[in-house]
Amino acid sequence: MAFAPQIKIPATYMRGGTSKGTFFNLEDLPEKCKVAGKARDAMLLRVIGSPDPYGKQTDGMGGATSSTSKTVILAKSTKADHDVDYLFGQVSIDKPFVDWSGNCGNLTAAVGSFAISNGMVDADRIPENGIATVRVWQANIEKTITAQVPITNGEVQETGDFELDGVTFPAAEVQVEFMNPVDASEAMFPTGNLVDDLEVPGIGTFKATMINAGIPTIFLNAEDINFNGTSYNGTELQTDINSDEKALEMFETIRAYGAIKMGLIESIEEAATRQHTPKVAFVGKPQSYTSSSGKEIKADDIDLNVRALSMGLLHHAMMGTAAVAIGTAATIPDTLVNLAAGGGDRDSVTFGHPSGTLKVGAEALQNDGEWTVNKVVMSRSARVLMEGAVRIPGDVLDNIPVDDMENT
């Protein structure tokens, strides 16, 4: 019996913020995969090692967590005043599914570095020494992001002394600015309210701030969550929640009903096909706790605590896009995030997460009763971990004819 040989696809494995992903130049993809559709999804699933009923992604590049089951496709931008087009695919671990509904804020920090190193940024925009501003068009959400990438001797500087909680080793700081993260055609608060009563059949009714900034996010008060004898306070770590299947089912149900109320889906069943968005998070007033690395986080060093779930599990740190939502909501008086941080006017917030702390700044303003945000700023870091090529069995693509592809 004859078997198809493996094919090689140029790729770079990178860390961006507290995530890792496999990065591709659009031009390097197999012809069938240069357009959105079944072939591209099949390729990315096989690269990452999904679907894996064992939940380990042993036969692929994925790391069996939402933070490491990620793919990025980049191309020199066709958008005026932008350098690179950035498309993000969140790969499900146990299902044959790639979610294209949102952005990855953490990996955004690596986009500028990849773009410069792969000739996607014009040479006259890169200083010999200093900071290169890379203008990124985020294709999933159709938004502009700028990345301030340090340059030394004409090349990307990746090493440095910037420390990011959730990342073991220091690296060079990359400041990321999410410009106008709310679509002008959409309301920042889809329900029209800063706080809603979210009814979740079989579980309860929760006060919720549902916001569309960076990524659609549902915020709850930690103290309102009391399920199966467990009370929450916002200082939980991954082991407290991810080992509790009933708790995870509860949060997924909350997420699904929140998605309906936000107008993102029409039925509960649709939530399974939209795993990446919205996110669900819970906030608590500042309390001291010990982070997952053993670092002591003092209540006086933070404004509030935030815990967020991604792809059905509590995140080990904080998603970059969720941090955009946190920063935005914190600057708007009377949201649950703002109230947990002490209320009032502010232009930045420092919050505690399972791995430590993160500071994020935002410029929000109100016009004619409607809230908008000009930009959200945070610092991350990025580093190339490996570059070369990934391999997948050739028959992964042979089984999908060109005319069966779907543009999505």
Side-chain angles (χ1 to χ4, degrees):
M1 181 177 180
F3 292 93
Q6 292 211 97
I7 59 174
K8 295 171 62 175
I9 306 170
T12 302
Y13 197 54
M14 297 190 74
R15 178 186 64 77
T18 57
S19 292
K20 292 191 294 186
T22 307
F23 282 60
F24 300 93
N25 184 330
L26 177 65
E27 294 304 312
D28 291 333
L29 297 182
E31 204 62 35
K32 289 182 179 180
C33 303
K34 290 182 179 179
V35 295
K38 292 181 179 179
R40 175 182 288 179
D41 287 4
M43 180 201 80
L44 296 179
L45 284 161
R46 197 66 174 89
V47 166
I48 296 300
S50 294
D52 185 353
Y54 303 105
K56 302 298 183 184
Q57 294 178 325
T58 304
D59 199 24
M61 300 296 294
T65 68
S66 67
S67 301
T68 56
S69 189
K70 298 175 180 285
T71 57
V72 172
I73 299 173
L74 300 176
K76 191 171 178 62
S77 186
T78 56
K79 190 86 172 174
D81 300 321
H82 291 75
D83 302 300
V84 60
D85 291 341
Y86 162 35
L87 186 64
F88 169 69
Q90 177 76 56
V91 180
S92 174
I93 296 171
D94 60 347
K95 298 179 178 65
F97 177 66
V98 182
D99 195 330
W100 301 98
S101 66
N103 176 33
C104 175
N106 273 299
L107 289 186
T108 301
V111 169
S113 300
F114 183 98
I116 291 172
S117 299
N118 286 269
M120 296 176 180
V121 180
D122 292 342
D124 60 5
R125 292 185 47 77
I126 305 171
E128 184 65 17
N129 292 283
I131 301 294
T133 299
V134 181
R135 303 162 301 180
V136 179
W137 178 249
Q138 214 302 318
N140 300 76
I141 59 174
E142 299 188 333
K143 287 294 174 182
T144 298
I145 303 170
T146 62
Q148 308 294 330
V149 181
I151 303 295
T152 300
N153 298 327
E155 296 184 351
V156 173
Q157 175 69 41
E158 295 182 307
T159 57
D161 56 9
F162 174 72
E163 295 185 353
L164 179 64
D165 285 340
V167 177
T168 305
F169 304 108
E173 181 178 6
V174 178
Q175 189 177 87
V176 181
E177 298 180 337
F178 299 81
M179 312 303 294
N180 301 309
V182 180
D183 196 320
S185 64
E186 299 178 358
M188 183 185 297
F189 299 96
T191 66
N193 303 314
L194 299 181
V195 179
D196 283 280
D197 288 326
L198 177 60
E199 296 182 14
V200 185
I203 296 176
T205 299
F206 302 89
K207 293 295 182 183
T209 289
M210 291 175 278
I211 188 170
N212 178 24
I215 200 164
T217 306
I218 303 158
F219 290 105
L220 310 175
N221 283 323
E223 62 185 20
D224 292 343
I225 305 172
N226 190 319
F227 180 74
N228 206 25
T230 300
S231 298
Y232 292 77
N233 61 20
T235 65
E236 288 76 13
L237 302 182
Q238 280 190 304
T239 51
D240 298 321
I241 293 177
N242 290 351
S243 59
D244 188 339
E245 289 295 330
K246 295 294 185 182
L248 296 176
E249 289 176 12
M250 173 195 68
F251 281 115
E252 179 58 21
T253 303
I254 292 171
R255 191 185 77 88
Y257 278 93
I260 289 177
K261 200 168 182 77
M262 294 180 78
L264 298 174
I265 59 176
E266 295 182 356
S267 69
I268 293 298
E269 292 72 25
E270 287 182 61
T273 65
R274 192 184 175 108
Q275 297 177 336
H276 184 52
T277 59
K279 302 300 185 188
V280 62
F282 52 98
V283 300
K285 295 179 180 179
Q287 295 185 55
S288 300
Y289 65 97
T290 302
S291 75
S292 56
S293 67
K295 180 180 179 180
E296 295 297 325
I297 308 300
K298 302 297 185 183
D300 291 343
D301 295 333
I302 57 178
D303 299 304
L304 77 162
N305 279 305
V306 189
R307 302 298 189 261
L309 287 89
S310 178
M311 302 293 284
L313 295 171
L314 188 73
H315 196 275
H316 75 285
M318 184 55 62
M319 304 81 79
T321 47
V324 172
I326 293 166
T328 301
T331 64
I332 298 175
D334 299 327
T335 67
L336 295 187
V337 181
N338 174 266
L339 293 174
D345 296 327
R346 59 176 61 247
D347 58 14
S348 67
V349 67
T350 299
F351 61 88
H353 57 72
S355 293
T357 67
L358 178 64
K359 182 178 181 179
V360 56
E363 295 179 4
L365 52 91
Q366 190 176 30
N367 288 319
D368 298 326
E370 295 291 331
W371 283 98
T372 60
V373 59
N374 293 328
K375 68 177 178 179
V376 176
V377 183
M378 71 185 79
S379 288
R380 316 304 274 169
S381 63
R383 190 170 74 85
V384 171
L385 303 178
M386 186 171 64
E387 53 193 350
V390 292
R391 295 196 182 205
I392 62 171
D395 57 5
V396 169
L397 301 182
D398 291 342
N399 295 334
I400 302 174
V402 175
D403 59 4
D404 194 29
M405 294 189 294
E406 301 171 348
N407 288 319
T408 57

